[in-house]
Structures are given as structure tokens and as C-alpha cells.
Amino acid sequence: MHSRILTQLFIIAVAFLLIETPGYAAAGIEAVTVTTDKQGGQTYSVTIQILALMTLLTVLPALLLTMTSFTRIMIVLSLLRQALGTGQAPSNQILLGLSLFLTIFIMMPVFDKVNTEAVQPYLEEKIDVTTALTKASGPFRQFMLKQTRESDLELFIRISGHSELQSAEEVPFSILLSAYVTSELKTAFQIGFLIFLPFMIIDLVVASVLMSMGMMMLSPMIVSLPFKIMLFVLADGWSLIMEMLAASFYVS
């Protein structure tokens, strides 16, 4: 069910990219144009729409990742791995997969709302692309505004040279996206700081004990690593991290 919704969201996202493309009036897109000359020969040319679409598809994954909870989750999990000092365990692939699935879990209410209000009516040809875009952007704007700090929003409004806006609905999407990503980076590093504290205390205690015993040639990281892993496992650290990350979005 989730994969079907994501597939439908991808379809309508591709359609959104073609809104301002000249000549987009029919339901389909002409991929190849056949031109017949006076001698009866035929030449084939790819339309500008397809070229623009293929170019914008390279940007689409970055936009989808920065408009969701993925950035905060991935940074927090990376900082957790550094705090534990386990090197490449878990690997980058595991952290990436965990971040993606947790992002889907957190963003599912937004995806469901977009699917109900925009994707399904558009696929059933009840609304046009412009109306679908307006309805689909609403849930994402609400989600991003809840997570964005007012100071970051005011910063990018001031940088862009816009006059003071009266309401959140008047904020351009480009400004909201920049402020949202900046706010997510701040929040992620704040959470990472709190995660680092207990592990840093273990490192300090182990380093002090080793120095008092005169074992200065032994790396404190080697000795403290088992204790940090034991603390993390006994405290059910993975469950606490997942719950904290999910709650940080739902509570906001």
C-alpha cells in the first residue's frame, strides 16, 4: 500500500514539472516528433519537454529528501555512530535504509493526505494539474512550517528582499524550503549534542582511570568502546532513538 502511494506521488510529481512547459495541453506528452520533408524523407527529433523532464528528474530526489524528515534522521543516526565510536558499524547503507523507512513512517500522514486530496482526483481526471499541484503542496507546506523556526524563516525573507509577509500562506516555497532545511540542520545537531553527552562522560572516566594507573600508552577509545556499547544496549538505545526522532516531528 505504501509503495503504491509513493508511486502515485512520483507520477504526479513528474506531472508537476510540466505545468509551465509550453504546449502542455493534452493528456500525453509527445516524446518524438516526426518531420517529413519535400523529398519524402523523415527526420526525428526529441521534444524540449522530454529534455526538460529528464533534467529535472535529477533534482527531484533531492527535493523530495529535503522536503521530508530524512535530513534530520540521517544526521542524528550518523552522529550516534560517531558518539559510539564504532567506525563503520552500522554501515552507511544500513543507516540510509533505516532513515528512508523511518521517513516513510513519519511522513505517511502527509502522503496519505496528498494521495487523497490530489493524486487520486488527478488520476481520475476530476481535477487538472494546476489544481492538483495546489492541493498537493498544502500538506507539505503545513508539515514544513511546523518544523521551521521563525528566526530561520525571517532570515531568508530578509535575504530574499521580500517585504514583511502577513501570513504563512504568503511565504514563497523557495524561501520555505531553504528555511526548513536550515532549521532541520540546527535541530539535528542539537539532538546529536544530547546524544554525545553520556558517551563523552564514559570516555572521560575511562581516560582518567587509565592515566591514574599510568597506562598512557593504551588508547581510551579501545577500553571505553565496550562500555559504551553495553550502556547503549542495556538502555535499549535503538528504540529510544527511533521513538525520540518520531516524537520530535509529531510533537512539533
Side-chain angles (χ1 to χ4, degrees), residues 32-46:
V32 179
T33 302
V34 181
T35 305
T36 304
D37 55 22
K38 297 180 179 179
Q39 289 75 24
Q42 293 181 338
T43 58
Y44 301 87
S45 60
V46 180

Side-chain angles (χ1 to χ4, degrees), residues 1-13:
M1 178 64 182
H2 292 173
S3 60
R4 180 182 177 184
I5 294 177
L6 291 177
T7 302
Q8 294 171 344
L9 286 174
F10 177 79
I11 294 174
I12 197 171

Side-chain angles (χ1 to χ4, degrees), residues 92-175:
N92 293 329
Q93 291 82 357
I94 295 177
L95 293 184
L96 179 60
L98 184 60
S99 301
L100 285 175
F101 280 103
L102 189 58
T103 298
I104 294 174
F105 171 77
I106 294 174
M107 297 296 298
M108 191 50 60
V110 178
F111 290 155
D112 287 336
K113 192 171 183 180
V114 172
N115 180 63
T116 302
E117 298 180 358
V119 177
Q120 292 300 330
Y122 173 74
L123 295 178
E124 296 172 0
E125 299 182 355
K126 295 181 179 179
I127 57 177
D128 56 12
V129 177
T130 305
T131 305
L133 173 61
T134 303
K135 291 181 177 293
S137 62
F140 279 100
R141 288 181 64 92
Q142 294 176 3
F143 173 80
M144 296 167 66
L145 283 171
K146 288 181 180 179
Q147 316 302 325
T148 305
R149 293 178 173 83
E150 292 185 3
S151 58
D152 295 326
L153 199 58
E154 293 174 356
L155 169 65
F156 283 96
I157 292 177
R158 184 172 65 255
I159 293 176
S160 63
H162 284 73
S163 57
E164 187 174 349
L165 304 176
Q166 301 298 325
S167 62
E169 288 72 17
E170 298 179 3
V171 177
F173 200 83
S174 59
I175 295 178

Side-chain angles (χ1 to χ4, degrees), residues 27-244:
I29 303 175
E30 295 181 358
V32 179
T33 302
V34 181
T35 305
T36 304
D37 55 22
K38 297 180 179 179
Q39 289 75 24
Q42 293 181 338
T43 58
Y44 301 87
S45 60
V46 180
T47 60
I48 299 299
Q49 293 175 335
I50 296 299
L51 293 177
L53 175 61
M54 297 303 296
T55 302
L56 292 176
L57 281 179
T58 60
V59 186
L60 183 60
L63 292 177
L64 292 179
L65 292 179
T66 53
M67 290 167 55
T68 61
S69 58
F70 179 83
T71 301
R72 182 190 303 185
I73 297 172
M74 188 63 188
I75 293 177
V76 170
L77 293 182
S78 299
L79 292 176
L80 171 63
R81 183 176 63 182
Q82 295 183 21
L84 283 171
T86 54
Q88 293 299 317
S91 63
N92 293 329
Q93 291 82 357
I94 295 177
L95 293 184
L96 179 60
L98 184 60
S99 301
L100 285 175
F101 280 103
L102 189 58
T103 298
I104 294 174
F105 171 77
I106 294 174
M107 297 296 298
M108 191 50 60
V110 178
F111 290 155
D112 287 336
K113 192 171 183 180
V114 172
N115 180 63
T116 302
E117 298 180 358
V119 177
Q120 292 300 330
Y122 173 74
L123 295 178
E124 296 172 0
E125 299 182 355
K126 295 181 179 179
I127 57 177
D128 56 12
V129 177
T130 305
T131 305
L133 173 61
T134 303
K135 291 181 177 293
S137 62
F140 279 100
R141 288 181 64 92
Q142 294 176 3
F143 173 80
M144 296 167 66
L145 283 171
K146 288 181 180 179
Q147 316 302 325
T148 305
R149 293 178 173 83
E150 292 185 3
S151 58
D152 295 326
L153 199 58
E154 293 174 356
L155 169 65
F156 283 96
I157 292 177
R158 184 172 65 255
I159 293 176
S160 63
H162 284 73
S163 57
E164 187 174 349
L165 304 176
Q166 301 298 325
S167 62
E169 288 72 17
E170 298 179 3
V171 177
F173 200 83
S174 59
I175 295 178
L176 176 59
L177 180 60
S178 303
Y180 170 75
V181 174
T182 304
S183 185
E184 285 294 282
L185 291 175
K186 290 182 180 179
T187 304
F189 277 92
Q190 289 177 353
I191 297 175
F193 170 76
L194 297 177
I195 293 176
F196 256 93
L197 287 179
F199 299 112
M200 184 178 64
I201 293 175
I202 294 178
D203 288 333
L204 291 176
V205 171
V206 171
S208 300
V209 172
L210 291 178
M211 290 188 65
S212 64
M213 295 176 63
M215 304 174 65
M216 292 177 292
M217 299 300 294
L218 182 61
S219 175
M221 296 295 296
I222 298 177
V223 180
S224 63
L225 179 58
F227 292 98
K228 291 191 288 186
I229 294 178
M230 181 181 64
L231 173 64
F232 189 71
V233 172
L234 291 179
D236 198 10
W238 287 113
S239 298
L240 292 176
I241 292 295
M242 297 300 110
E243 181 181 2
M244 178 269 300

